[in-house]
Amino acid sequence: MSANPQWDTSRALGVARFFHLVCGVRDACVTPFLTLYLRQLGLAAPWVGILMGTKHLIAAFWAPFCAFLAKSYQKRRVLLIGSLLGSVGASLLMVLVPPLDRDPGYRSCNGSHSVTATVPPPAVALTVNVTSAPEPAPNYPAPSLPAERSTGVGPGDGFREGPGESGQEPFSRLPSSFVGSIQGTRTTSRVLLHPITSRVKDTPQEGAFRVVSPARPLLAGGTALASPANQSAARGMAGALDLSSEGLRWTFILSLGSMVVWELLTSPVEQVADDSLYEYLDFVDATDGYRSLWIWRLLGMSAGVCGISALVGQLDCFLMTNGHRGVVHFYGYSLVSTLALLVSIAFPVPVCRRWEPSYKMVKALSLIGGDPRLITLALTVFLIGTATSTVQNFLFWHMKDHESTEPVMGVSVALGLLGEILLHPLKTPLLRKLSRVGTVGLGLGCLAGQLLYFSFLWSWWSVLPAQLLSAVSHGALWWAVGASIEYLATPGTERPLSAVFRDHFYGVGASLGSFVGGFVVMHFSLAVLYQSCCVVLLLWLALFLSIQSRLPQERTINYSKLLAVEASDTSDSEQGTERDWLVKAMRDEHSDWRG
């Protein structure tokens, strides 16, 4: 088989593993942090929910359609290369979207001669504690604190002198809406017009100070409502949905257009690659290696999410003083997409054969409509998509409000992915001990528990223990769903049926969860959103388990497995016949020799 390079399965699987690894790194560069970047642009939760819901909706229907066209016209490699090439440029469109506040006044640097300053919405005031630098040695004059040197910002940064403030004061270059009065000599208090608590500390170096700002909550029901991403919430919930502001309107429209173009070019890649590889391996009856490719994608995502977040952490000073932090994610995505483009040239694509119309998707949909067990499973997957989307969209916002950094966010994602990989050896014993229905119930229970836990986060690190449950709430749950689909499917409909569940039911559920979740966050809070999802999942779990005994339990005969068994029996019988013939011949020869 290896002599013919056209069907070199070892090489094909090697290329496919590397391609999935690279695509995992590529997706991890942006996908987990996308909503965080939209927050930095200044979009409130409802608008972010609309953008993410549109993204999920496009992926749910556009990717299968493109895969169908590529197969029909035998242009899979062309579509694969074109999608990767287009995604390189389309992802950079998001970098060009102007933020809502073009001069947010937010500057931060970990260096000693630096300043972090947040210019708040008006009419909100808090006290900032300022600790001055130690006195110089006696007999030496105290060093002056010139404005440019102490703040590290210039006129182009949007800071101006407040009324009555001397040009030699360390806060003279901060805006008047930011700083109030100074009291005392060694420790002073100033008024900061921003609904967060901050501290301004002088550093031991000459003429330097820092404004240390904790996270800026964005939740409508929180105790502190301030962030450039939620300025509309500071003006009232009615203003959050008002697109009359030219800046908000253009930021939202350009974000929507960029995301639509990006998703149209990116979403077909995974499905076209999977279909091509499966048909390539199926032609030579070597699909066993196909089942383990998901591990390489998860490994790539684990490495990518940790790597990009660590890079952002290292470049924190540069990014905060020269632009938005989120741009690094898109640059990394484009760079890794270029590598994936090079790998796709060697990606295995089956030989062009005459295309024949197939109605497997129609058969799969009719099978779902006629089987109550598949209907309940479809509703389960729909609710899983709805609940999971709320975590994907707003968990990092919640962590940011608790002073979490991006490296911690990356580690939290990697914990769930690695836990799923480590749990995989127990997949078969778990499904055997708990059954498919029991494993689905366990996964739903763990997902509900995670959501309830997330609603009570109290620190930046408190999310990490709950992420370990993702091995069950995502990994084991989807294993049970896949095993149930394979058990209930008729011959030839396993893959189309899995695609319907993964793309349509889960995708539409994630889209609805994104649309609704943003408005729930605005009108109530993120805690209420997570608690509501937890209650809905628990109610459905109770209903799902209670109706299982009332559903028809007759087993559908899987003819494909039956044929495999028959082929195995035939092979064994042939070997047995050959063995019997050989034994008989040896006995005859031995008998002749003795005679």
Side-chain angles (χ1 to χ4, degrees), residues 528-573:
V528 171
L529 174 64
Y530 285 158
Q531 291 166 9
S532 301
C533 291
C534 173
V535 171
V536 171
L537 286 180
L538 291 178
L539 292 175
W540 175 251
L541 174 60
L543 180 62
F544 177 80
L545 296 177
S546 64
I547 64 176
Q548 290 300 313
S549 60
R550 297 176 174 83
L551 295 176
Q553 298 298 319
E554 63 271 10
R555 180 184 177 91
T556 302
I557 299 177
N558 195 323
Y559 292 98
S560 59
K561 293 182 178 179
L562 185 60
L563 291 174
V565 172
E566 289 179 353
S568 177
D569 293 342
T570 303
S571 177
D572 292 342
S573 64

Side-chain angles (χ1 to χ4, degrees), residues 459-527:
S459 178
W460 60 268
W461 59 266
S462 57
V463 72
L464 300 179
Q467 284 296 90
L468 296 175
L469 291 176
S470 297
V472 179
S473 65
H474 185 270
L477 180 57
W478 278 104
W479 297 339
V481 170
S484 300
I485 292 173
E486 185 178 356
Y487 176 83
L488 298 171
T490 57
T493 61
E494 293 89 350
R495 282 180 56 81
L497 195 60
S498 299
V500 170
F501 275 80
R502 181 186 64 249
D503 298 331
H504 300 310
F505 292 123
Y506 180 82
V508 172
S511 179
L512 180 63
S514 300
F515 286 135
V516 176
F519 288 92
V520 173
V521 169
M522 182 189 70
H523 289 284
F524 300 98
S525 68
L526 187 52

